[in-house]
Amino acid sequence: DVLKYGLVFGVMSSLHKDLSKKVTRNIEQLDEFMFKKIYSLSRIPKKHSEHVINISKGMDSFIFESSSNDPWFELPNYYRVKFKKIAIKLRIDFPCKTILQVFYRDKNKPYSEGFQQSKKVDKGLSENIFIIDSKFCIKNIRIDIGNHVGIYKIYEVLVFI
């Protein structure tokens, strides 16, 4: 009986692993189907605050060195695309506990506290997703990576519609 139950358990474990792989694959396909990626950070941003005194490309990240409490960078303009709802995924290694903010605007409006989302983040690697549902078409996105002096390592910035 012990051998019989051992074989059944082994077969069930094997089936569970196969099922788990299929479910994982289906979730990945569902994510690709539900969201269309329109941007991935692949080069050093052109627009950033003067408080970012050095930006370099590391092996697997962009390294931002901030000299003050307002390091930020802008993503490329989206003047040709009309969307009001977006998702932004950020994976950043923070030098200390800080506040991560995402500002958005129409091309005719300035960035303001009324059109932003923020999250408190702890020191270390953190993955954050912002869902923005705007009343107007979003044309510009600015990411304020923190409010402290330090080295910020940015591993991933993705924008989905």
Side-chain angles (χ1 to χ4, degrees), residues 16 18 24-25 70-71 79 87 97 101 116 132 144 156-157:
H16 178 61
D18 288 344
T24 302
R25 266 189 252 117
D70 192 22
Y79 294 123
K97 190 174 186 175
Q101 293 179 287
Q116 64 88 26
I132 298 171
D144 289 30
E156 190 172 43
V157 176

Side-chain angles (χ1 to χ4, degrees), residues 26-36 160:
N26 287 340
I27 289 171
E28 288 168 0
Q29 289 170 353
L30 182 63
D31 285 347
E32 289 174 14
F33 178 74
M34 289 176 60
F35 298 103
K36 179 182 175 188
F160 299 91

Side-chain angles (χ1 to χ4, degrees), residues 94-99 120-124 146-148 152:
F94 297 96
C96 58
K97 190 174 186 175
T98 190
I99 297 173
K120 292 179 182 178
V121 292
D122 291 322
K123 177 181 179 176
N147 56 5
H148 293 283
Y152 296 80

